[in-house]
Every structure is written in C-alpha cells, then in structure tokens.
Coordinates of all heavy atoms in Angstrom, one line a residue:
N1 N 163.9 116.4 69.2 CA 163.7 117.7 68.6 C 163.7 118.8 69.5 O 163.3 119.9 69.2 CB 162.4 117.7 67.8 CG 162.6 116.9 66.4 OD1 163.7 116.8 65.9 ND2 161.5 116.4 66.0
A2 N 164.2 118.6 70.8 CA 164.2 119.7 71.8 C 165.5 120.4 71.7 O 166.6 119.9 71.3 CB 164.1 119.1 73.2
P3 N 165.5 121.7 72.0 CA 166.8 122.5 72.0 C 167.7 122.0 73.1 O 167.3 121.7 74.2 CB 166.3 123.9 72.3 CG 164.9 124.0 72.0 CD 164.4 122.6 72.3
E4 N 169.0 121.9 72.8 CA 170.0 121.5 73.7 C 171.2 122.5 73.7 O 171.5 123.0 72.6 CB 170.6 120.1 73.4 CG 169.6 118.9 73.7 CD 170.3 117.6 73.5 OE1 171.3 117.6 72.7 OE2 169.9 116.6 74.1
Q5 N 171.8 122.7 74.8 CA 172.9 123.5 74.9 C 174.2 122.7 74.6 O 174.4 121.7 75.2 CB 173.1 124.2 76.2 CG 172.1 125.4 76.4 CD 172.4 126.3 77.6 OE1 173.2 125.9 78.5 NE2 171.8 127.4 77.7
E6 N 175.0 123.3 73.8 CA 176.3 122.6 73.5 C 177.4 123.6 73.9 O 177.4 124.8 73.5 CB 176.5 122.3 72.0 CG 177.8 121.8 71.6 CD 178.0 121.7 70.1 OE1 177.0 122.0 69.4 OE2 179.1 121.3 69.7
V7 N 178.4 123.2 74.7 CA 179.5 124.1 75.1 C 180.5 124.2 74.0 O 181.0 123.2 73.5 CB 180.1 123.6 76.4 CG1 181.4 124.4 76.8 CG2 179.1 123.6 77.6
I8 N 180.7 125.4 73.5 CA 181.7 125.6 72.4 C 183.0 126.3 72.8 O 183.9 126.3 72.1 CB 181.0 126.3 71.3 CG1 180.5 127.7 71.7 CG2 179.9 125.5 70.7 CD1 180.0 128.6 70.6
G9 N 183.0 126.8 74.1 CA 184.2 127.4 74.6 C 184.2 127.6 76.0 O 183.1 127.6 76.7
S10 N 185.3 127.9 76.6 CA 185.4 128.1 78.1 C 186.4 129.1 78.5 O 187.4 129.3 77.7 CB 185.6 126.7 78.8 OG 186.9 126.2 78.5
F11 N 186.2 129.7 79.6 CA 187.1 130.7 80.2 C 187.3 130.3 81.7 O 186.3 130.3 82.4 CB 186.5 132.1 80.0 CG 187.3 133.2 80.6 CD1 188.0 134.1 79.7 CD2 187.3 133.5 82.0 CE1 188.7 135.2 80.3 CE2 188.0 134.6 82.5 CZ 188.7 135.4 81.6
R12 N 188.5 130.0 82.1 CA 188.7 129.6 83.5 C 189.8 130.5 84.2 O 190.8 130.8 83.6 CB 189.2 128.2 83.6 CG 189.5 127.7 85.0 CD 189.8 126.2 85.1 NE 188.6 125.4 84.9 CZ 187.8 125.1 85.8 NH1 187.9 125.5 87.1 NH2 186.7 124.3 85.6
L13 N 189.4 131.1 85.3 CA 190.2 132.0 86.1 C 189.7 132.0 87.5 O 188.6 131.6 87.8 CB 190.2 133.3 85.4 CG 191.2 134.4 85.9 CD1 192.7 133.9 85.8 CD2 191.0 135.7 85.2
F14 N 190.5 132.6 88.4 CA 190.0 132.8 89.8 C 188.8 133.9 89.6 O 189.0 134.9 89.0 CB 191.1 133.4 90.7 CG 192.2 132.4 90.9 CD1 193.4 132.5 90.3 CD2 192.0 131.4 91.8 CE1 194.4 131.6 90.6 CE2 193.0 130.4 92.1 CZ 194.2 130.5 91.5
P15 N 187.7 133.6 90.3 CA 186.5 134.5 90.2 C 186.7 135.8 91.0 O 185.9 136.0 91.9 CB 185.4 133.6 90.6 CG 186.0 132.7 91.7 CD 187.4 132.4 91.2
L16 N 187.7 136.5 90.7 CA 188.1 137.7 91.5 C 188.4 138.9 90.6 O 188.9 138.6 89.5 CB 189.3 137.5 92.4 CG 189.2 136.4 93.5 CD1 190.5 136.1 94.1 CD2 188.2 136.7 94.6
R17 N 188.2 140.1 91.0 CA 188.7 141.3 90.4 C 189.1 142.2 91.5 O 188.6 142.2 92.6 CB 187.7 141.9 89.5 CG 186.5 142.5 90.2 CD 185.7 143.5 89.3 NE 184.9 142.8 88.3 CZ 185.0 143.0 87.0 NH1 185.9 143.7 86.5 NH2 184.1 142.3 86.2
T18 N 190.1 143.1 91.1 CA 190.5 144.1 92.1 C 189.3 145.0 92.4 O 188.6 145.3 91.5 CB 191.7 144.9 91.6 OG1 191.5 145.4 90.3 CG2 193.0 144.1 91.6
A19 N 189.2 145.4 93.6 CA 187.9 146.0 94.0 C 188.0 147.2 94.9 O 187.3 147.4 95.8 CB 187.1 144.9 94.8
W20 N 189.0 148.1 94.6 CA 188.9 149.4 95.1 C 187.8 150.2 94.4 O 187.3 151.2 95.0 CB 190.2 150.1 95.0 CG 191.3 149.6 96.0 CD1 191.5 149.9 97.3 CD2 192.3 148.6 95.6 NE1 192.5 149.2 97.8 CE2 193.1 148.4 96.8 CE3 192.7 147.9 94.5 CZ2 194.2 147.5 96.8 CZ3 193.7 147.1 94.5 CH2 194.5 146.9 95.6
A21 N 187.6 149.9 93.1 CA 186.5 150.6 92.4 C 186.0 149.7 91.3 O 186.6 148.8 90.8 CB 187.1 151.9 91.7
I22 N 184.7 150.0 90.9 CA 184.0 149.3 89.8 C 183.0 150.2 89.2 O 182.6 151.2 89.9 CB 183.3 148.0 90.4 CG1 182.8 147.1 89.2 CG2 182.2 148.4 91.3 CD1 182.3 145.8 89.7
T23 N 182.7 150.0 87.9 CA 181.7 150.9 87.3 C 180.3 150.5 87.8 O 180.0 149.4 88.1 CB 181.7 150.9 85.8 OG1 181.4 149.5 85.3 CG2 183.1 151.3 85.3
V24 N 179.3 151.5 87.6 CA 177.9 151.2 88.0 C 177.4 150.1 87.1 O 176.7 149.2 87.5 CB 177.1 152.5 87.8 CG1 175.6 152.2 87.9 CG2 177.5 153.5 88.8
H25 N 177.8 150.1 85.8 CA 177.3 149.1 84.9 C 177.7 147.7 85.3 O 176.9 146.7 85.3 CB 177.8 149.3 83.4 CG 177.0 150.4 82.7 ND1 177.0 151.7 83.1 CD2 176.1 150.3 81.7 CE1 176.2 152.4 82.2 NE2 175.7 151.6 81.4
K26 N 179.0 147.5 85.7 CA 179.5 146.2 86.1 C 179.0 145.8 87.4 O 179.1 144.6 87.8 CB 181.0 146.2 86.0 CG 181.5 146.2 84.6 CD 183.1 146.2 84.5 CE 183.6 146.3 83.1 NZ 185.0 146.4 83.0
S27 N 178.5 146.8 88.2 CA 178.1 146.4 89.6 C 176.6 146.0 89.6 O 176.1 145.5 90.6 CB 178.2 147.6 90.5 OG 177.3 148.6 90.2
Q28 N 175.9 146.1 88.5 CA 174.5 145.7 88.5 C 174.3 144.2 88.9 O 174.9 143.3 88.4 CB 173.9 145.9 87.1 CG 172.4 145.7 87.0 CD 171.8 146.1 85.7 OE1 172.4 146.8 84.9 NE2 170.6 145.8 85.5
G29 N 173.5 144.0 89.9 CA 173.2 142.7 90.4 C 174.1 142.2 91.5 O 173.9 141.2 92.0
L30 N 175.1 143.1 91.8 CA 176.0 142.7 92.9 C 175.5 143.2 94.3 O 174.7 144.1 94.3 CB 177.4 143.2 92.6 CG 178.1 142.8 91.3 CD1 179.5 143.4 91.2 CD2 178.1 141.3 91.1
T31 N 176.0 142.6 95.3 CA 175.7 143.1 96.7 C 176.9 143.5 97.4 O 177.9 142.7 97.6 CB 175.0 141.9 97.4 OG1 173.8 141.4 96.7 CG2 174.6 142.3 98.8
F32 N 176.9 144.8 97.9 CA 178.0 145.3 98.7 C 177.6 145.7 100.1 O 176.5 146.2 100.3 CB 178.6 146.6 98.0 CG 179.1 146.3 96.6 CD1 178.5 147.1 95.5 CD2 180.0 145.4 96.3 CE1 178.9 146.9 94.2 CE2 180.5 145.2 95.0 CZ 179.9 145.9 94.0
D33 N 178.5 145.5 101.0 CA 178.2 145.9 102.4 C 178.4 147.4 102.6 O 177.7 148.1 103.3 CB 179.0 145.1 103.4 CG 178.6 143.6 103.4 OD1 177.4 143.3 103.3 OD2 179.5 142.8 103.5
R34 N 179.5 147.9 102.0 CA 179.9 149.3 102.1 C 180.3 149.8 100.8 O 181.1 149.2 100.1 CB 181.0 149.5 103.1 CG 180.6 149.1 104.6 CD 181.7 149.3 105.6 NE 182.7 148.3 105.4 CZ 182.7 147.0 105.9 NH1 181.6 146.7 106.7 NH2 183.6 146.2 105.8
A35 N 179.9 151.0 100.4 CA 180.3 151.6 99.1 C 180.4 153.1 99.2 O 179.6 153.7 99.9 CB 179.2 151.2 98.0
A36 N 181.4 153.6 98.4 CA 181.5 155.0 98.2 C 181.1 155.3 96.8 O 181.6 154.7 95.8 CB 182.9 155.5 98.4
I37 N 180.1 156.2 96.6 CA 179.5 156.3 95.2 C 179.9 157.7 94.6 O 179.6 158.7 95.2 CB 178.0 156.2 95.4 CG1 177.6 154.9 96.0 CG2 177.3 156.3 94.0 CD1 176.1 154.7 96.3

C-alpha cells in the first residue's frame, strides 16, 4: 500500500544547450564560473 513511481514517458538527448545566453529563470540552481548579466 506504499506509493510507487511508475515511469510513463521518457525524453533522451545530449544534456547540452547552446550557452552564449540563458534566461535568469532557466539559470536558477546552476553554477557558472563567469557570467555577463
């Protein structure tokens, strides 16, 4: 009777994005060495 997680879908891709720029919202929780704000 315990909750269990069931995988119902997946998304597979290289874990990369082009990175000359990114929004503040999408950068939350990320760590950068150098940034222009």
Side-chain angles (χ1 to χ4, degrees):
N1 283 332
E4 286 185 336
Q5 283 192 347
E6 174 189 0
V7 175
I8 59 175
S10 64
F11 178 105
R12 179 174 286 277
L13 189 61
F14 294 104
L16 299 168
R17 68 164 77 239
T18 50
W20 288 278
I22 190 174
T23 63
V24 171
H25 280 70
K26 289 178 181 175
S27 73
Q28 187 170 347
L30 304 184
T31 301
F32 302 121
D33 294 321
R34 294 180 288 277
I37 304 174

